[in-house]
Coordinates of all heavy atoms in Angstrom, one line a residue:
G1 N -7.8 7.1 26.6 CA -8.1 8.6 26.1 C -9.2 8.7 25.2 O -9.5 9.7 24.7
F2 N -9.8 7.5 24.8 CA -10.8 7.4 23.8 C -12.0 6.9 24.3 O -12.1 5.7 24.9 CB -10.4 6.6 22.6 CG -11.2 6.5 21.4 CD1 -11.3 7.5 20.5 CD2 -12.2 5.4 21.2 CE1 -12.2 7.5 19.4 CE2 -13.0 5.4 20.1 CZ -12.9 6.4 19.3
G3 N -13.1 7.6 24.2 CA -14.5 7.1 24.7 C -14.3 6.7 26.2 O -13.7 7.4 27.0
F4 N -14.9 5.6 26.6 CA -14.8 5.1 28.0 C -13.9 3.9 28.0 O -14.3 2.7 27.6 CB -16.3 4.7 28.5 CG -17.2 5.8 28.6 CD1 -18.0 6.2 27.4 CD2 -17.2 6.6 29.6 CE1 -18.8 7.2 27.5 CE2 -18.0 7.8 29.7 CZ -18.9 8.1 28.6
G5 N -12.7 4.1 28.4 CA -11.7 3.0 28.5 C -11.3 2.4 27.2 O -11.0 1.3 27.0
G6 N -11.3 3.3 26.2 CA -11.0 2.8 24.8 C -12.1 2.4 24.0 O -11.9 2.1 22.8
K7 N -13.3 2.5 24.4 CA -14.5 2.0 23.7 C -15.6 3.1 23.7 O -15.7 3.8 24.7 CB -15.0 0.7 24.4 CG -14.0 -0.5 24.7 CD -14.6 -1.5 25.4 CE -13.6 -2.6 25.8 NZ -14.2 -3.6 26.6
T8 N -16.3 3.1 22.6 CA -17.5 3.9 22.5 C -18.6 3.3 21.7 O -18.3 2.6 20.7 CB -17.1 5.4 21.8 OG1 -18.2 6.3 21.9 CG2 -16.7 5.1 20.3
I9 N -19.8 3.5 22.2 CA -21.0 2.9 21.6 C -21.9 4.0 21.2 O -22.1 4.9 21.9 CB -21.7 1.9 22.7 CG1 -20.7 0.9 23.2 CG2 -22.9 1.2 21.9 CD1 -20.2 0.0 22.2
V10 N -22.5 3.9 20.0 CA -23.5 4.9 19.5 C -24.7 4.2 19.1 O -24.7 3.3 18.2 CB -22.9 5.8 18.3 CG1 -23.9 6.7 17.8 CG2 -21.6 6.4 18.9
A11 N -25.9 4.8 19.6 CA -27.2 4.2 19.1 C -28.0 5.3 18.4 O -28.0 6.4 18.7 CB -28.0 3.8 20.4
F12 N -28.7 4.9 17.2 CA -29.5 5.7 16.5 C -30.9 5.5 17.0 O -31.7 6.4 17.0 CB -29.3 5.5 15.0 CG -28.2 6.2 14.4 CD1 -26.9 5.8 14.5 CD2 -28.5 7.4 13.7 CE1 -25.9 6.5 13.9 CE2 -27.4 8.2 13.1 CZ -26.2 7.7 13.2
N13 N -31.3 4.3 17.4 CA -32.6 4.0 17.8 C -33.8 4.5 16.9 O -34.7 5.1 17.4 CB -32.8 4.5 19.2 CG -32.0 3.8 20.2 OD1 -31.7 2.6 20.1 ND2 -31.4 4.5 21.3
Q14 N -33.6 4.3 15.7 CA -34.7 4.5 14.7 C -35.9 3.7 15.1 O -37.0 4.2 14.8 CB -34.3 4.3 13.2 CG -33.2 5.1 12.8 CD -33.5 6.6 12.7 OE1 -34.4 6.9 12.0 NE2 -32.8 7.6 13.4
I15 N -35.8 2.6 15.5 CA -36.8 1.7 16.1 C -36.3 1.1 17.4 O -35.1 0.9 17.5 CB -37.3 0.6 15.0 CG1 -36.2 -0.3 14.7 CG2 -38.0 1.3 13.9 CD1 -36.6 -1.5 13.9
P16 N -37.2 0.7 18.3 CA -36.7 -0.2 19.4 C -36.0 -1.4 18.9 O -36.4 -2.1 17.9 CB -37.8 -0.4 20.1 CG -38.9 0.6 19.8 CD -38.6 0.9 18.3
K17 N -34.9 -1.7 19.4 CA -34.1 -3.0 19.1 C -33.7 -2.9 17.7 O -33.6 -3.9 17.0 CB -34.9 -4.2 19.4 CG -35.6 -4.4 20.8 CD -34.5 -4.5 21.9 CE -35.1 -4.6 23.2 NZ -34.1 -4.8 24.2
G18 N -33.3 -1.7 17.1 CA -32.9 -1.6 15.8 C -31.4 -2.1 15.7 O -30.7 -2.1 16.7
T19 N -31.0 -2.3 14.4 CA -29.6 -2.7 14.2 C -28.8 -1.5 13.5 O -29.2 -1.0 12.4 CB -29.7 -3.9 13.2 OG1 -30.3 -5.0 13.7 CG2 -28.2 -4.2 12.7
D20 N -27.9 -1.1 14.3 CA -27.0 0.1 13.9 C -25.6 -0.5 13.8 O -25.1 -0.9 14.7 CB -27.2 1.3 14.9 CG -28.6 1.7 15.1 OD1 -29.4 1.6 14.2 OD2 -28.8 2.2 16.2
V21 N -25.0 -0.3 12.7 CA -23.7 -0.9 12.5 C -22.8 0.2 11.7 O -23.2 0.8 10.7 CB -23.8 -2.2 11.6 CG1 -22.4 -2.7 11.4 CG2 -24.5 -3.2 12.5
I22 N -21.5 0.2 12.1 CA -20.5 1.0 11.4 C -19.8 0.0 10.3 O -19.5 -1.2 10.6 CB -19.4 1.5 12.3 CG1 -19.9 2.5 13.3 CG2 -18.2 2.1 11.4 CD1 -18.9 3.0 14.3
T23 N -19.7 0.5 9.1 CA -19.1 -0.3 8.0 C -17.8 0.3 7.6 O -17.0 -0.5 6.9 CB -20.1 -0.3 6.8 OG1 -20.4 0.9 6.4 CG2 -21.4 -1.2 7.1
S24 N -17.6 1.5 7.8 CA -16.1 2.1 7.3 C -16.0 3.4 8.0 O -16.9 4.1 8.5 CB -16.3 2.4 5.9 OG -15.0 2.8 5.4
V25 N -14.7 3.8 8.2 CA -14.3 4.9 9.0 C -13.0 5.7 8.2 O -12.3 4.9 7.7 CB -13.8 4.5 10.4 CG1 -13.2 5.8 11.2 CG2 -14.9 3.9 11.2
V26 N -13.1 7.0 8.2 CA -12.0 7.6 7.6 C -11.5 8.7 8.7 O -12.3 9.2 9.5 CB -12.5 8.3 6.3 CG1 -13.4 9.5 6.6 CG2 -11.2 8.9 5.6
E27 N -10.2 9.0 8.7 CA -9.7 10.0 9.6 C -9.5 11.3 8.9 O -8.9 11.4 7.8 CB -8.3 9.6 10.1 CG -7.7 10.5 11.2 CD -6.3 10.1 11.6 OE1 -5.8 9.1 11.0 OE2 -5.8 10.7 12.5
Q28 N -10.1 12.5 9.3 CA -9.9 13.8 8.8 C -8.5 14.3 9.1 O -7.8 13.7 10.0 CB -11.0 14.8 9.3 CG -12.4 14.5 8.8 CD -13.3 15.6 9.3 OE1 -14.5 15.3 9.3 NE2 -12.8 16.7 9.7
G29 N -8.1 15.4 8.5 CA -6.8 16.0 8.8 C -6.6 16.5 10.2 O -5.5 16.5 10.6
N30 N -7.7 16.7 10.9 CA -7.6 17.2 12.2 C -7.7 16.1 13.3 O -7.9 16.3 14.4 CB -8.6 18.2 12.5 CG -10.1 17.8 12.3 OD1 -10.3 16.6 11.9 ND2 -11.1 18.6 12.4
G31 N -7.7 14.8 12.8 CA -7.8 13.7 13.7 C -9.2 13.2 14.1 O -9.3 12.2 14.7
K32 N -10.1 14.0 13.6 CA -11.5 13.5 13.9 C -11.9 12.4 13.0 O -11.4 12.2 11.9 CB -12.6 14.7 13.6 CG -12.5 15.9 14.7 CD -13.6 16.9 14.4 CE -13.4 17.9 15.4 NZ -14.5 19.1 15.1
L33 N -12.7 11.5 13.4 CA -13.1 10.2 12.7 C -14.5 10.3 12.3 O -15.4 10.6 13.1 CB -12.9 9.0 13.7 CG -11.5 8.7 14.2 CD1 -11.5 7.6 15.3 CD2 -10.5 8.5 13.1
V34 N -14.7 10.1 11.0 CA -16.0 10.0 10.4 C -16.4 8.6 10.1 O -15.6 7.8 9.4 CB -16.3 10.8 9.1 CG1 -17.6 10.7 8.5 CG2 -15.9 12.3 9.3
A35 N -17.4 8.0 10.7 CA -17.8 6.7 10.6 C -19.2 6.6 9.8 O -20.1 7.5 10.1 CB -18.1 5.9 11.9
V36 N -19.3 5.7 8.8 CA -20.6 5.5 8.1 C -21.0 4.1 8.3 O -20.3 3.2 8.6 CB -20.4 5.8 6.6 CG1 -19.8 7.2 6.4 CG2 -19.4 4.9 5.9
G37 N -22.4 3.9 8.0 CA -23.0 2.6 8.1 C -24.5 2.7 7.8 O -24.9 3.4 6.9
Y38 N -25.2 2.1 8.7 CA -26.7 2.2 8.5 C -27.3 2.1 9.9 O -26.8 1.5 10.9 CB -27.2 1.1 7.7 CG -26.8 -0.4 8.0 CD1 -27.6 -1.1 8.8 CD2 -25.6 -0.9 7.6 CE1 -27.3 -2.4 9.2 CE2 -25.3 -2.2 8.0 CZ -26.2 -3.0 8.8 OH -25.8 -4.2 9.1

């Protein structure tokens, strides 16, 4: 019930072949997830 078969991928594509990584996640009171990184 999460993403596609339990997995989700997010690209920022600031440049072609860029490195986008999640470093930390917190759960809001409504169950939404906020992920931070670079």
Side-chain angles (χ1 to χ4, degrees):
F2 184 80
F4 296 94
K7 309 172 185 178
T8 186
I9 309 294
V10 177
F12 274 79
N13 292 328
Q14 296 293 302
I15 59 168
K17 307 296 183 181
T19 297
D20 307 332
V21 176
I22 297 173
T23 56
S24 185
V25 176
V26 70
E27 181 182 14
Q28 291 185 196
N30 58 3
K32 293 183 179 182
L33 300 173
V34 180
V36 302
Y38 57 91

